[in-house]
Amino acid sequence: VDLDLRDAIVDQDVSITSTTIFGGADIFLPNDVNVKVNATPIFGGVDDNSKHRTQDDSLPTIYVNCTCIFGGVDLK
C-alpha cells in the first residue's frame, strides 16, 4: 500500500492506524508536520525516515499507530 500525503494540507492533529501482515505500507508525509510513531512489531518493523524533521510545537502532529506482523511500514 502507498499512502501519499505529501500534498495534503494538514491543519490539525491526525491519527493513522496501519496493520501489515506479510506485506508492507509506504506512507509519504508532508514536510510541515510533526510525526510520532507507536509501533507493535512482530517479526516486522517500522522504518521512520522522517526523523530528520525538527519538532515544532506550532505544527500539527501526525500520530502513526502500526502493528507489523511479518511486514513493515516505511515513513518517508
Side-chain angles (χ1 to χ4, degrees), residues 41-68:
I42 302 171
F43 297 107
V46 176
D47 187 15
D48 185 2
N49 294 318
S50 67
K51 291 182 182 179
H52 67 276
R53 303 169 201 252
T54 59
Q55 291 292 323
D56 184 351
D57 292 336
S58 66
L59 295 175
T61 301
I62 295 180
Y63 297 94
V64 181
N65 302 304
C66 304
T67 302
C68 305

Side-chain angles (χ1 to χ4, degrees), residues 18-61:
S18 173
T19 302
T20 56
I21 302 172
F22 293 104
D26 292 329
I27 302 174
F28 298 92
L29 300 170
N31 290 324
D32 57 346
V33 296
N34 295 319
V35 178
K36 296 205 178 190
V37 179
N38 181 18
T40 304
I42 302 171
F43 297 107
V46 176
D47 187 15
D48 185 2
N49 294 318
S50 67
K51 291 182 182 179
H52 67 276
R53 303 169 201 252
T54 59
Q55 291 292 323
D56 184 351
D57 292 336
S58 66
L59 295 175
T61 301

